[in-house]
Amino acid sequence: MFKLKGLAAAAVFGIMSMVGPVFAESWPSKNITMIVPFGAGGSIDRFARGLAQHWENNLDGVSIIVENRPGASGLLGAKTFLNAPADGHTLFVGIQPTLSMNTVVQNADFSLDDFAFVNFEQRDFGDVVVSASSRFNTIEDFVSEARAKPGELSVAMILGGGTSLFGLALLQELDLDVRIVTFDSGGALRTNMLGNHSDATISGAYGDRSLGDQVKVLAVASPEPFPGLDGAAPVAKAFEGLNIPQIGDSRFVAVHGTFAQEQPEAFAQLVESYKSTFESEVYQTYLKETGTDVISGYMGPDASTEQAKSMETVVIRFKDVLTNK
């Protein structure tokens, strides 16, 4: 009996050797869930739902279900994702550096290595903006007055996002002594800025672009002029040699790190499926219609991973400020 079992096992092994590992499945093999770590209706939710709608059209009947899991500044959604099966059928649609805020500032029990980044699709940049009636017309005007009047000028920002990291680095590198005024929401920040209640505001270039002639954007974190904000100086060119990161809030798609490591062929199929959807004419038309084409692009897994880790170094740089130490 023992010999018979051994021969049977050898026969099965021989068959497996010819057909390949039995656990290697093509992707996808079932419906997909997208975990969004913030509530419905926000920019990250709109991004996820727009992508899901177009992506599932290329998946031969497979559905993509968007699931909102808000709470603890994205931490609850991240943990919900990581607790799901690592089979490539649960995706995470998040924001960086918010994810690194979870790990560095909130001491989450996970790291960036637990995420395999498919793509950083939407990449916004921080900016320095004032109302149209402000006395400042250039970033040099603001810097000059700030240096002439240390401690007197005020700068408003939402502490904790990618835009605030740009603002903190800008003020640090330029060695400006200003009062920082913080807000909890974009609406309150914008009302403060349009009312000239602060001398300058650190915000996001994409959102400020929509304000048109209500504002003057003095500088942007992007390496080149931001589309639609041609008068705003890229900080890297205005102040060469300073360590001011090209940062803002970036929206990405990721899967479990173990899935990418243990099933590289299936991960490659997932990436190619996403890339094909992103580059399709219908999706590109959708991006233009929604106006998000100016911040959308395909970087791919390697460049996206590098971008995520680079942004985390900026969070670490300002950890004490972000934790009010």
Side-chain angles (χ1 to χ4, degrees):
M1 181 69 72
F2 177 79
K3 289 184 178 180
L4 182 61
K5 286 184 177 180
L7 290 171
V12 170
F13 179 78
I15 295 173
M16 288 175 63
S17 299
M18 290 186 288
V19 301
V22 295
F23 59 80
E25 293 184 355
S26 61
W27 182 94
S29 60
K30 60 183 179 180
N31 288 340
I32 298 163
T33 299
M34 272 187 179
I35 301 294
V36 178
F38 297 96
S43 58
I44 183 71
D45 180 64
R46 293 194 299 272
F47 161 55
R49 292 181 187 278
L51 175 60
Q53 176 186 347
H54 289 85
W55 196 351
E56 70 179 7
N57 288 338
N58 295 331
L59 294 178
D60 296 327
V62 171
S63 296
I64 300 180
I65 302 159
V66 177
E67 186 176 310
N68 297 91
R69 288 299 184 97
S73 300
L75 181 58
L76 178 60
K79 291 184 71 67
T80 300
F81 162 75
L82 291 173
N83 287 332
D87 59 4
H89 293 87
T90 302
L91 309 179
F92 185 71
V93 181
I95 303 174
Q96 180 67 335
T98 299
L99 185 60
S100 286
M101 296 288 182
N102 297 153
T103 62
V104 176
V105 179
Q106 296 173 274
N107 297 315
D109 58 353
F110 56 79
S111 72
L112 292 188
D113 291 337
D114 293 312
F115 298 79
F117 297 96
V118 176
N119 189 41
F120 269 50
E121 181 170 324
Q122 294 186 349
R123 190 180 178 196
D124 198 0
F125 293 91
D127 68 2
V128 182
V129 60
V130 297
S131 73
S133 60
S134 170
R135 63 190 180 279
F136 302 122
N137 293 309
T138 67
I139 186 63
E140 289 81 7
D141 290 343
F142 171 76
V143 171
S144 178
E145 185 168 326
R147 286 175 172 164
K149 300 177 180 179
E152 294 187 26
L153 272 58
S154 61
V155 175
M157 65 178 71
I158 299 175
L159 197 61
T163 56
S164 72
L165 293 175
F166 160 68
L168 292 171
L170 178 71
L171 297 175
Q172 184 184 79
E173 291 295 311
L174 293 175
D175 195 23
L176 299 183
D177 180 6
V178 300
R179 291 181 289 110
I180 296 178
V181 183
T182 61
F183 290 85
D184 294 327
S185 71
L189 182 74
R190 183 169 295 181
T191 298
N192 179 79
M193 182 264 293
L194 292 175
N196 265 331
H197 300 304
S198 297
D199 295 292
T201 298
I202 304 299
S203 185
Y206 178 68
D208 292 336
R209 178 177 178 266
S210 67
L211 296 177
D213 58 8
Q214 296 182 79
V215 301
K216 291 182 285 189
V217 179
L218 307 182
V220 292
S222 56
E224 301 295 335
F226 194 85
L229 299 176
D230 295 338
V235 170
K237 294 184 177 179
F239 305 104
E240 294 183 5
L242 299 184
N243 186 19
I244 303 173
Q246 296 169 1
I247 197 171
D249 291 316
S250 295
R251 300 172 187 90
F252 64 82
V253 179
V255 293
H256 291 82
T258 52
F259 168 70
Q261 294 167 4
E262 297 175 3
Q263 299 191 52
E265 292 183 3
F267 177 64
Q269 290 175 345
L270 185 156
V271 171
E272 182 56 35
S273 176
Y274 165 86
K275 183 173 183 285
S276 176
T277 298
F278 177 81
E279 294 179 346
S280 68
E281 183 177 351
V282 64
Y283 190 62
Q284 288 298 312
T285 299
Y286 164 77
L287 295 180
K288 291 177 182 177
E289 290 174 345
T290 58
T292 55
D293 57 311
V294 299
I295 57 172
S296 300
Y298 181 77
M299 301 175 67
D302 292 341
S304 295
T305 301
E306 181 180 344
Q307 180 67 26
K309 292 183 176 181
S310 175
M311 295 174 86
E312 182 158 279
T313 64
V314 186
V315 177
I316 294 170
R317 176 180 172 184
F318 292 105
K319 179 180 179 180
D320 288 348
V321 177
L322 297 169
T323 54
N324 295 314
K325 291 183 179 180

